[in-house]
Amino acid sequence: MKLWGGRFESGPSEVFERFSGSLDFDRRLIGADIRGSQAFARALERVGILSVEERAAIVAAFGAIAAESASAAFYEGASDEDVHTLVIRKLKEKAGAVADKIHTGRSRNEQVSLDTRLWLREESDRARGLVTGVMEALVNLAEAYPDAVIPGYTHMRRAQAVLWPHYLLAYFEMFARDWERLGEARARANVLPLGSGALAGAGFPFDRDAMAQDLGFDGVTRNSMDVSGDRDFVLDFLYAASVAMIHLSRLAEDWILYSSEEFGWLELGDGVTSGSSLMPQKKNPDSLELIRGKCGRVIGSLTSLMVTMKGLPMTYNRDMQEDKVPLFEAADQLGGALEMARVAIESVRLNPGRPARAAEESWVVATDLAEALARAGTPFHQAHQIVGRFVLESVRSGKKPSDWTAAEMQSFAPELTGDLAVLLDPKKGMGSREIAGGTGPGAVAGALEEARRRLARMRV
Ligand code: ARG
């Protein structure tokens, strides 16, 4: 069956049919297509196109089709152009002649926009739920080692000491923004396009607000031409998904390093690692590598649709059918990566001694010393110079901070008074960073509690 054909003397070539069909992938929209069509049948009743009985018959037939669509047999032998065509063919088979009225005043251009919006709404909610799962796992892991100290890095060089929970809460913030961004993408999608027609607006006085209410939309779109040519709401989701994947990928990269023999900070569970077919000793972080790898696919999906859209003239063009494969791909990879990340995080055990030693054996305390000098009255630039020379001398003579005594410090530079020797322990310096958002132990404990409260609010 076709939803068009009167104007043609012959049918489409087999090659064109194969090339242009989208049922293989857009069948994922079938639930949304049916829900939207049921609401549209009610709108048709309100404008007098369908009688009460006809509307009831159509809505019931759609219900039956929805139930049947769960089985694989439903699609057997289906050669329909797209999911919208398939659903109308099935309606005809079930409800008979009255089905010929369902497409009155409606275009597939707005229908595909509607279906995608309905699908995205649910998918955004699902993704947001998975994001909070990752966030909760991070908070649990932070609470398991509340006092652990690690060197924080810039340029992949040891920079300043931070608490392990402070490090994990940095990722918590990134995922909190992802949760918000996915919510913004959802809100952008949650506007009713129906009533736009093909591009010029429907030729029937549909009550668009009633349709919006019926389908749970926040409002109605404002311009029919915009609706027909708009995929911004898909791009918004793809961007939100890409940024979330970047965050997952960076966490994965950190932990691939931190779980290596060279670092030895953490141990990934057996359940999220794999062995080598040749080297018996290997325990590889494949789950994390795949999270990092799949990130590329999601960014590729965003790029793909941006390139598809960039040169399109107003309004709808068939190119836009190519939005679905990247959308589904990105949503699937994001969901899978979030789930995998949660399980990987839950499997982690920290060996707190290793990062603590890495902090103690490096010069992460240098900033604490310079700032202490500044607090005691030495202008910071001079303090920086003094401590810089102190570090240089230590590097030359192979001394780590704990190798210095207070007396030796003082004789190296008179400004390095005995009371500063305590700052050679990285734990001590952190006490001066009790500023909001800093790694001071009190600030971090407060941030952890606040993170729990924020999570509880995200779940409702
Ligand atoms: N399968 C089409 C898509 O996904 C539906 C819209 C078709 N509209 C059209 N004018 N051919 O974009």
Side-chain angles (χ1 to χ4, degrees):
M1 192 199 86
K2 291 244 163 311
L3 296 177
W4 44 271
R7 185 238 175 277
F8 293 81
E9 289 178 359
S10 66
S13 81
E14 184 271 325
V15 171
F16 174 57
E17 273 203 319
R18 237 187 321 116
F19 184 67
S20 61
S22 56
L23 187 59
D24 277 354
F25 51 85
D26 67 14
R27 53 190 263 187
R28 280 182 76 165
L29 296 175
I30 193 158
D33 198 76
I34 290 172
R35 257 193 300 150
S37 294
Q38 287 175 321
F40 191 60
R42 289 187 280 271
L44 286 173
E45 179 194 345
R46 284 193 292 269
V47 295
I49 296 286
L50 292 179
S51 69
V52 178
E53 296 74 33
E54 287 172 327
R55 185 267 303 147
I58 285 178
V59 169
F62 274 137
I65 295 167
E68 283 169 24
S69 70
S71 84
F74 179 82
Y75 295 97
E76 239 162 58
S79 60
D80 309 272
E81 185 181 316
D82 55 24
V83 68
H84 324 294
T85 311
L86 167 87
V87 166
I88 291 181
R89 173 170 66 78
K90 294 278 183 182
L91 183 69
K92 269 197 178 158
E93 288 169 12
K94 279 230 169 340
V98 66
D100 282 340
K101 292 189 179 178
I102 187 64
H103 215 55
T104 312
R106 183 177 70 168
S107 161
R108 275 182 298 163
N109 297 349
E110 56 183 337
Q111 196 180 351
V112 71
S113 169
L114 172 71
D115 294 2
T116 310
R117 288 166 188 269
L118 287 171
W119 186 87
L120 254 182
R121 219 162 63 175
E122 275 174 26
E123 192 60 24
S124 307
D125 288 341
R126 193 179 80 90
R128 291 178 103 198
L130 292 169
V131 168
T132 58
V134 168
M135 293 168 79
E136 181 165 28
L138 287 170
V139 171
N140 290 340
L141 187 56
E143 284 176 351
Y145 307 93
D147 312 316
V149 176
I150 64 169
Y153 292 82
T154 62
H155 312 269
M156 204 58 221
R157 301 290 184 274
R158 294 174 195 171
Q160 289 183 277
V162 293
L163 285 172
W164 169 249
H166 193 57
Y167 161 78
L168 292 177
L169 286 176
Y171 279 102
F172 182 96
E173 293 303 328
M174 297 182 223
F175 293 120
R177 290 195 295 274
D178 294 326
W179 185 86
E180 283 175 16
R181 249 187 298 274
L182 286 164
E184 286 155 13
R186 183 197 198 281
R188 199 85 74 183
N190 199 29
V191 188
L192 176 92
L194 277 187
S196 300
L199 79 163
F204 299 80
F206 297 125
D207 182 341
R208 299 190 66 207
D209 292 321
M211 282 195 283
Q213 248 193 2
D214 191 344
L215 288 166
F217 284 107
D218 294 333
V220 303
T221 55
R222 288 198 161 89
N223 183 292
S224 61
M225 293 184 79
D226 176 39
V227 164
S228 188
D230 175 28
R231 288 295 180 272
D232 290 4
F233 60 98
V234 180
L235 288 171
D236 286 341
F237 176 84
L238 291 176
Y239 175 69
S242 296
V243 177
M245 287 299 295
I246 289 172
H247 295 154
L248 289 171
S249 181
R250 293 183 69 178
L251 178 66
E253 169 65 11
D254 271 2
W255 291 9
I256 290 166
L257 289 173
Y258 296 172
S259 63
S260 67
E261 288 93 339
E262 279 70 14
F263 277 80
W265 293 10
L266 46 92
E267 178 82 14
L268 294 165
D270 284 3
V272 300
T273 45
S274 18
S276 156
S277 60
L278 187 123
M279 300 166 282
Q281 86 284 11
K282 291 300 289 296
K283 183 178 173 187
N284 296 326
D286 294 33
S287 55
L288 300 179
E289 293 167 289
L290 282 166
I291 288 172
R292 195 176 55 187
K294 286 169 196 285
C295 175
R297 290 169 66 169
V298 176
I299 295 172
S301 299
L302 170 64
T303 310
S304 162
L305 185 58
M306 288 200 292
V307 176
T308 298
M309 296 305 294
K310 76 169 270 293
L312 295 188
M314 285 281 268
T315 55
Y316 177 83
N317 299 269
R318 189 67 179 270
D319 317 42
M320 289 161 70
Q321 179 172 292
E322 300 301 324
D323 65 345
K324 282 164 217 74
V325 170
L327 171 60
F328 296 151
E329 158 83 352
D332 291 345
Q333 298 311 327
L334 174 66
L338 285 167
E339 204 183 359
M340 186 71 259
R342 178 183 55 77
V343 172
I345 295 166
E346 286 168 356
S347 85
V348 162
R349 276 188 310 115
L350 184 75
N351 308 316
R354 289 291 289 264
R357 210 169 322 129
E360 282 156 17
E361 290 173 357
S362 66
W363 280 94
V364 294
V365 295
T367 308
D368 300 329
L369 288 170
E371 289 182 351
L373 291 185
R375 250 176 252 122
T378 309
F380 183 74
H381 191 64
Q382 285 164 35
H384 192 289
Q385 284 289 116
I386 293 164
V387 177
R389 281 191 287 105
F390 182 55
V391 172
L392 180 62
E393 170 57 26
S394 306
V395 172
R396 275 194 185 135
S397 54
K399 275 177 142 172
K400 26 182 214 309
S402 60
D403 295 332
W404 287 89
T405 64
E408 287 168 345
M409 271 175 82
Q410 176 101 63
S411 69
F412 178 82
E415 294 87 348
L416 293 172
T417 49
D419 55 312
L420 296 189
V422 291
L423 289 176
L424 294 170
D425 174 0
K427 278 200 147 164
K428 289 290 175 321
M430 287 193 309
S432 66
R433 308 194 185 284
E434 288 295 5
I435 191 163
T439 195
V444 171
L448 251 181
E449 280 172 28
E450 177 66 13
R452 276 264 178 242
R453 284 195 293 276
R454 287 161 67 191
L455 257 181
R457 286 199 295 274
M458 287 175 177
R459 290 211 178 279
V460 292

